[in-house]
Amino acid sequence: VVLGAQDRRFDAGLELGVRSMLLSPNFLFRAEDHGEGVRDLDGFEIASRLSYSLWATMPDEELLDLAASGGLNEEDALRGQIDRMMEDPRFDAFVDEFAARWLKVSKLPEAHPDEEAFASFDEALRQAMEDETKLFVRHVIENDLPLTTLVDADFTFLNERLAAHYGVDGVEGEEMRLVRLDGLRRGGLLTQGSVLTVTSHATRTSPVLRGVYILDRLLCAPPPDPPADVDSLGEDATDDETGETLTLRERLEQHRADPECAGCHDVMDPLGFGLENYDAVGAWRETDEGEPIDSYGELPDGRSFEGAAELGLILAEDPRFTECVGEKLLTYSLGRALRAEDACTLDGILERAELRGGTLRALIEETVLDDVFRRVGTTQPEETPEESR
């Protein structure tokens, strides 16, 4: 087909129009008109926020009908929709988009354990690890279990491949299923292969990375970045007097001798040492490089623990854990960084969730039911970089 000049101009114009539409922020983002001050979202905006928060996709017909009738402005109707949506298979997207990213499970495909050191690690095992964490979180939500179950649970989800990796007997077949772990050296997120793998180096574990993970992801207290000129941890450091190769714990103790490093490492390292019985792909071990594993940790406030189980109990009792999950969830639900004025809002959400048993489900529901979820804007002017200094 030979196009005339006029036809070519029309095609070029049409192409330009479509390209502009696809690049428009209003196409790429869910735009909400902020204007000045705070305003209530309309029904369709609430439906959109609700659907993208819990399903990571556009509202369905039932939500749109309620939006049109004004039903989403009534709390009872909104509660009913939250319950419906959390029971729907599309709620899997919440686990994928929020939980997997928050817990860094989304980084598991990027982990590449050394093939020689960890020959048993393969794609089937990687997939089972990812499935374990997602099914575990969804089970905690669906069964209205306490939020602390995330760190002190006595169950997980396994198939035959992952059970063999963990040394758990009696699990057969490819299907993932709930397995009780009483006395089996496992329990909670910190002993799951996904978390342990993404917080390790390719050839060895890293108490530092695991400690940072706990501080950042579970306590919202990330340490500052290390100084640019700090010495890296030597892989084959030796004792100055005996010439013997130092263990990982000894190398880190040597590292903490530097006052510039001690401030952060005194907090990070003990947390990571509690997980040292799990190798770089989450398998149980009693020794490392021929030396018995020492999983003892002592925190700066004097609390001490031995191993992952006792560490999980300490985290479960730490109020920062609940506050941190609430902060991560509120940030995700609103789609923005939290501001100083959100502190009181978060406190209210946490208090209401605690009155309902302190469950993860209650925390999700109270976050979505809060007025801040149904409003947009700010009561305070945004600070300029100069004003915030």
Side-chain angles (χ1 to χ4, degrees):
V1 177
V2 180
L3 298 177
Q6 184 173 355
D7 292 327
R8 288 196 297 273
R9 287 197 299 272
F10 174 79
D11 286 353
L14 183 62
E15 178 183 344
L16 183 61
V18 172
R19 183 182 300 176
S20 299
M21 180 188 71
L22 296 177
L23 291 174
S24 168
N26 288 324
F27 178 82
L28 296 171
F29 301 98
R30 288 185 292 116
E32 296 170 341
D33 181 19
H34 283 229
E36 295 184 2
V38 178
R39 73 170 179 86
D40 292 335
L41 298 175
D42 64 33
F44 291 101
E45 289 172 316
I46 293 173
S48 184
R49 268 201 184 186
L50 187 61
S51 187
Y52 278 95
S53 292
L54 299 183
W55 285 349
T57 190
M58 63 185 294
D60 65 357
E61 186 173 350
E62 184 169 335
L63 276 174
L64 293 175
D65 288 344
L66 275 172
S69 67
L72 288 180
N73 295 315
E74 300 174 6
E75 185 167 314
D76 287 344
L78 191 54
R79 283 186 182 275
Q81 287 303 304
I82 294 170
D83 288 339
R84 175 181 76 89
M85 295 174 73
M86 292 174 78
E87 299 301 327
D88 191 282
R90 283 171 285 189
F91 187 63
D92 285 341
F94 173 86
V95 179
D96 291 339
E97 294 298 319
F98 170 66
R101 293 177 186 275
W102 161 45
L103 298 170
K104 289 190 71 173
V105 177
S106 59
K107 296 291 185 181
L108 189 58
E110 301 172 20
H112 299 288
D114 184 80
E115 294 182 1
E116 183 176 343
F118 305 104
S120 65
F121 188 88
D122 56 19
E123 290 307 310
L125 183 59
R126 188 197 304 269
Q127 186 61 56
M129 287 179 176
E130 183 176 341
D131 292 344
E132 174 192 20
T133 302
K134 291 180 179 180
L135 289 169
F136 173 77
V137 172
R138 173 121 196 190
H139 182 84
V140 171
I141 297 171
E142 286 182 338
N143 291 273
D144 209 17
L145 300 177
L147 178 62
T148 53
T149 306
L150 293 175
V151 290
D152 66 5
D154 63 353
F155 65 87
T156 193
F157 284 79
L158 305 174
N159 63 5
E160 184 174 353
R161 180 72 182 83
L162 187 56
H165 183 67
Y166 287 172
V168 176
D169 298 326
V171 180
E172 298 179 356
E174 296 182 1
E175 182 181 355
M176 302 290 290
R177 82 290 308 268
L178 188 146
V179 177
R180 292 291 168 186
L181 296 171
D182 298 327
L184 293 179
R185 303 165 175 166
R186 301 275 168 179
L189 291 167
L190 293 180
T191 64
Q192 293 182 4
S194 60
V195 171
L196 294 163
T197 301
V198 299
T199 55
S200 295
H201 294 302
T203 57
R204 64 166 175 83
T205 62
S206 174
V208 175
L209 291 179
R210 290 176 176 179
V212 170
Y213 178 91
I214 293 171
L215 290 170
D216 180 29
R217 302 288 165 151
L218 303 183
L219 298 178
C220 289
D225 292 333
D229 58 349
V230 68
D231 292 332
S232 60
L233 186 65
E235 292 291 330
D236 299 307
T238 58
D239 186 279
D240 292 336
E241 296 181 2
T242 66
E244 295 181 356
T245 301
L246 299 176
T247 65
L248 181 56
R249 178 181 281 268
E250 289 169 338
R251 295 201 297 274
L252 283 168
E253 288 174 353
Q254 189 180 71
H255 197 63
R256 291 199 302 275
D258 184 339
E260 283 194 63
C261 302
C264 294
H265 282 272
D266 283 347
V267 181
M268 298 184 299
D269 297 359
L271 295 170
F273 283 134
L275 305 177
E276 271 296 275
N277 277 118
Y278 305 94
D279 70 13
V281 293
W284 178 265
R285 60 182 184 171
E286 299 283 354
T287 63
D288 179 29
E289 299 179 351
E291 296 293 329
I293 293 291
D294 181 1
S295 61
Y296 174 82
E298 183 173 343
L299 301 177
D301 62 9
R303 289 178 297 170
S304 62
F305 56 89
E306 185 80 38
E310 293 184 11
L311 174 58
L313 293 176
I314 285 179
L315 292 175
E317 294 172 356
D318 193 325
R320 291 179 299 171
F321 172 63
T322 302
E323 293 168 6
C324 185
V325 179
E327 180 180 322
K328 301 284 189 185
L329 183 58
L330 184 57
T331 301
Y332 172 79
S333 299
L334 297 180
R336 63 167 172 80
L338 299 189
R339 301 185 283 253
E341 63 205 68
D342 294 315
C344 291
T345 297
L346 179 58
D347 287 343
I349 291 171
L350 292 171
E351 288 175 7
R352 294 193 299 274
E354 184 62 29
L355 290 174
R356 294 180 51 190
T359 67
L360 181 53
R361 185 185 185 111
L363 185 57
I364 296 170
E365 291 180 354
E366 293 303 327
T367 298
V368 176
L369 287 167
D370 194 89
D371 287 343
V372 74
F373 186 81
R374 290 177 279 176
R375 292 176 179 169
V376 68
T378 178
T379 58
Q380 300 177 0
E382 294 290 340
E383 290 183 334
T384 64
E386 291 75 20
E387 292 172 334
S388 65
R389 288 173 185 168

